Amino acid sequence: MRTSTPERIRAMTEAGYWGGDTLHALLAGWARRTPEAPAVVDQPNKEELTDLPPHRLDFAALAAFSEQLAAELLARGVGAGDRLLVQLPNISELVALYYAASQLGAIISPIPVQYGAHELKQFAGVLEPAAVITLARFRDQELAARAREALPESPVWAVGTDLAAGGPGQTFDREALAAHLAAHPADANDIVTVAWTSGTTGTPKGVPRSHNMWLAIARNTMAAGDYREGETLLAPFPLINMAAIGGFLFPSALLGANLVLHHPMDPPLYLRQLQQERATFTIAPPALLNQLAQRPELWQQCDFGSLRAFGSGSVPLSPAMIAKIEGDYGKPIVNFYGSNEGISLFSTPATAPSPEYRAAMFPRLGVPGMPWEGEAHASTITRVIDTESGAEITAPGTPGELCISGPAVFDGYLGHSGEGVFTDDGLFRTGDLVEICGEPANYYRIVGRCKDIINRGGMKISPSDIDTVLEGYPGLAEAAVCAYADPMLGEKVCACVVPAPDTEPPSLEQLCQWLLEQGIAKFKLPERLVVLDALPRNPVGKVVRGNLQDLVSEETPS
């Protein structure tokens, strides 16, 4: 399967942004050069979660395991172009499966383990998979049984039972695999994954991506995080989307890095792995970084000596957190902003030295006159447009939709007409609202999704603006705002808070007074407060604003 036109392939190749590397060929290269170097490490509680033993594989063993899985899939009838719906947590079998599919020319479509029968039917209806690959058990969920019930006409194979039943190191039919590879040579412009949009504003859509698209995102991530050959990367986010596939899987293949797996997020275990495995780089959830910043005694209990830097993202970061972790603890913070479709922006200590800028601003890549350097700036075009007229916005402080093109950007959604997805000249319309900002105005600041903006009597309010400030309120574990209906103004702001353990929630008056002291405009203040046990988040950790509004409509206001 290929989605890029010959013209796009030629242009990207001639510019040097796309090449001939494939995922499995990169692995094979490291297996030859550094066969005994560590390649992938399972989390220590894997058996408790899945009934499968944890593995530590070097590059030779990982290459052999991926070939073993490729041969098993081939024997079951999977070939080039076939689509596999995969529902697995972060385990070494999933990593090997990516490489195996790459070898066969098959396409992996990974989905979160949290999804149930309804979502399985949705995805399968669009993807038309040749098979579903999952687990017999994950925690208390019987994934394979659920998939078989939801998709009775699709083959469902459980790793550890139907595939790789004996784990790595089993014999397989090398001749049949070699014959298949000879008949179906891999191409870096072939689609290797169909990931899915996070679904915060609507039904998830399939995002086909080639090896070259993923490698472009990986190179941007590596440059921002200063990734280094052979280092140890701790991956706490599920290998189903841009953050983990582009931030960990493909960089580990490019650099021969050791990929340490963690999932689901368990902060004590995550911190233990970070120390025991001597991780040099990781991407941490903002909430965990906030906790480390607010509790110096917790930081001092841990040994972060091997760690170069933290990456983070998915929501605006706290400037106070960045100042604390960099200033007092000496660990740089890199703010990433990306998507499965190919958004690939980042804010680093070099491009945004002040915590206030790095917390919420990103360099305007590809815009003439900017001071930025490097491949990401040279290869990317970004623009802000009016959401209704499509006219370009060049003045600071005016919200508009971010549009982007470049080697990391996809060609279009699976089975979608393409209407409204791209501008007339081919830039992807991200659906994210940004405004040009900074002094000088060399940055973008995310102000929300096009459908997230709260309209209070004609005054437009960005929820993410208030979220960022609320994160610093003492005694809150989580906080976010959303709209609620008002007969006079149309919408007002509701603050949704999750108190920290053994902490009383603030009153609405206390919260508003604190927001005023932080400089929030009075018209943006919440006029309702709802206390929750947890905020609704999607599998990659983003607050699902629509679900939050549903919860608010059911709660009695404070």
Side-chain angles (χ1 to χ4, degrees):
M1 177 182 176
R2 191 174 297 177
T3 59
S4 298
T5 64
E7 293 76 19
R8 187 184 187 204
I9 293 171
R10 186 182 311 112
M12 290 294 170
T13 304
E14 289 176 354
Y17 302 135
W18 286 1
D21 287 333
T22 58
L23 184 63
H24 68 278
L26 291 168
L27 172 61
W30 291 111
R32 289 192 301 271
R33 294 193 296 274
T34 58
E36 297 180 353
V40 63
V41 177
D42 276 316
Q43 61 268 56
N45 63 338
K46 176 185 175 184
E47 190 160 12
E48 174 189 335
L49 296 169
T50 68
D51 297 326
L52 301 178
H55 299 302
R56 287 181 175 269
L57 304 178
D58 58 28
F59 278 100
L62 179 58
F65 190 23
S66 69
E67 290 178 347
Q68 172 190 329
L69 275 172
E72 289 189 55
L73 291 171
L74 184 64
R76 289 175 175 269
V78 175
D82 283 338
R83 304 167 184 181
L84 302 170
L85 187 62
V86 176
Q87 190 176 34
L88 292 172
N90 281 8
I91 54 177
S92 55
E93 286 82 357
L94 176 57
V95 176
L97 192 59
Y98 272 106
Y99 289 111
S102 174
Q103 273 194 301
L104 293 176
I107 300 164
I108 279 193
S109 184
I111 63 172
V113 291
Q114 295 96 320
Y115 283 171
H118 173 74
E119 289 83 9
L120 284 168
K121 292 175 183 177
Q122 272 189 324
F123 296 134
V126 177
L127 189 70
E128 299 179 349
V132 179
I133 300 178
T134 185
L135 282 169
R137 180 186 74 86
F138 179 71
R139 286 181 157 177
D140 58 351
Q141 301 178 74
E142 296 182 355
L143 298 184
R146 184 171 65 197
R148 291 185 178 110
E149 183 177 353
L151 305 171
E153 297 182 1
S154 296
V156 176
W157 305 324
V159 296
T161 305
D162 306 304
L163 293 171
Q170 306 302 299
T171 58
F172 57 90
D173 190 340
R174 295 182 181 275
E175 292 185 3
L177 181 59
H180 173 85
L181 299 181
H184 302 279
D187 190 292
N189 296 304
D190 289 340
I191 297 302
V192 65
T193 67
V194 173
W196 300 85
T197 60
S198 57
T200 55
T201 58
T203 303
K205 297 183 286 292
V207 180
R209 295 187 63 82
S210 68
H211 299 264
N212 271 325
M213 294 173 194
W214 277 123
L215 289 168
I217 275 191
R219 286 193 293 270
N220 287 350
T221 305
M222 288 157 45
D226 191 25
Y227 287 31
R228 301 166 190 183
E229 184 174 314
E231 68 175 353
T232 298
L233 307 174
L234 174 56
F237 295 129
L239 287 164
I240 61 172
N241 57 28
M242 187 284 300
I245 302 174
F248 289 98
L249 178 65
F250 274 82
S252 70
L254 280 166
L255 295 173
N258 182 21
L259 187 58
V260 178
L261 301 174
H262 178 92
H263 185 231
M265 174 49 71
D266 178 340
L269 178 59
Y270 169 81
L271 292 173
R272 189 160 73 248
Q273 283 182 279
L274 192 150
Q275 297 168 85
Q276 291 177 346
E277 302 296 341
R278 307 293 295 168
T280 51
F281 186 82
T282 187
I283 295 180
L288 178 58
L289 292 178
N290 290 340
Q291 187 177 22
L292 289 171
Q294 294 170 7
R295 296 179 57 193
E297 72 279 5
L298 178 60
W299 180 275
Q300 292 162 4
Q301 290 171 10
C302 301
D303 176 10
F304 295 101
S306 62
L307 191 71
R308 292 189 291 99
F310 284 107
S312 195
S314 79
V315 297
L317 305 181
S318 164
M321 176 272 290
I322 295 175
K324 182 71 174 180
I325 290 182
E326 290 192 342
D328 292 1
Y329 303 160
K331 301 298 180 183
I333 302 288
V334 180
N335 190 0
F336 291 101
Y337 163 44
S339 74
N340 285 328
E341 292 93 338
I343 305 173
S344 184
L345 304 181
F346 43 84
S347 195
T348 71
T351 59
S354 77
E356 289 74 19
Y357 273 40
R358 194 150 7 109
M361 298 185 193
F362 297 89
R364 296 171 64 195
L365 296 183
V367 175
M370 296 294 107
W372 320 120
E373 298 179 350
E375 183 176 311
H377 179 55
S379 65
T380 303
I381 297 173
T382 60
R383 184 187 307 151
V384 183
I385 65 171
D386 183 87
T387 55
E388 295 183 1
S389 69
E392 183 174 2
I393 295 171
T394 58
T398 302
E401 183 176 10
L402 176 68
C403 301
I404 185 168
S405 69
V409 178
F410 78 143
D411 296 310
Y413 295 109
L414 184 68
H416 191 278
S417 66
E419 183 179 357
V421 177
F422 296 92
T423 63
D424 291 342
D425 58 346
L427 276 69
F428 169 55
R429 300 188 58 165
T430 66
D432 289 338
L433 284 177
V434 303
E435 63 182 20
I436 297 168
C437 62
E439 295 180 5
N442 294 340
Y443 299 87
Y444 295 127
R445 184 170 66 90
I446 304 166
V447 296
R449 292 285 295 174
C450 291
K451 297 181 181 179
D452 273 350
I453 293 299
I454 300 170
N455 188 347
R456 186 186 185 278
M459 299 295 290
K460 305 295 177 64
I461 301 170
S462 165
S464 62
D465 272 353
I466 309 173
D467 290 354
T468 304
V469 180
L470 279 178
E471 285 181 357
Y473 189 94
L476 292 184
E478 298 181 276
V481 301
C482 67
Y484 70 96
D486 180 78
M488 295 295 292
L489 296 175
E491 291 180 331
K492 290 184 177 180
V493 180
C494 177
C496 304
V497 302
V498 179
D502 303 318
T503 303
E504 288 293 320
S507 68
L508 180 61
E509 291 74 18
Q510 289 171 323
L511 201 65
C512 289
Q513 181 59 41
W514 189 84
L515 288 170
L516 285 172
E517 292 170 359
Q518 308 310 306
I520 290 292
K522 192 171 182 179
F523 78 88
K524 294 182 178 181
L525 292 179
E527 295 169 83
R528 182 175 171 185
L529 175 68
V530 170
V531 179
L532 301 172
D533 293 329
L535 298 183
R537 297 182 183 272
N538 65 20
V540 296
K542 294 182 181 180
V543 173
V544 183
R545 202 83 62 176
N547 290 1
L548 191 60
Q549 289 180 245
D550 292 341
L551 285 173
V552 165
S553 67
E554 299 168 2
E555 292 283 342
T556 301
S558 300

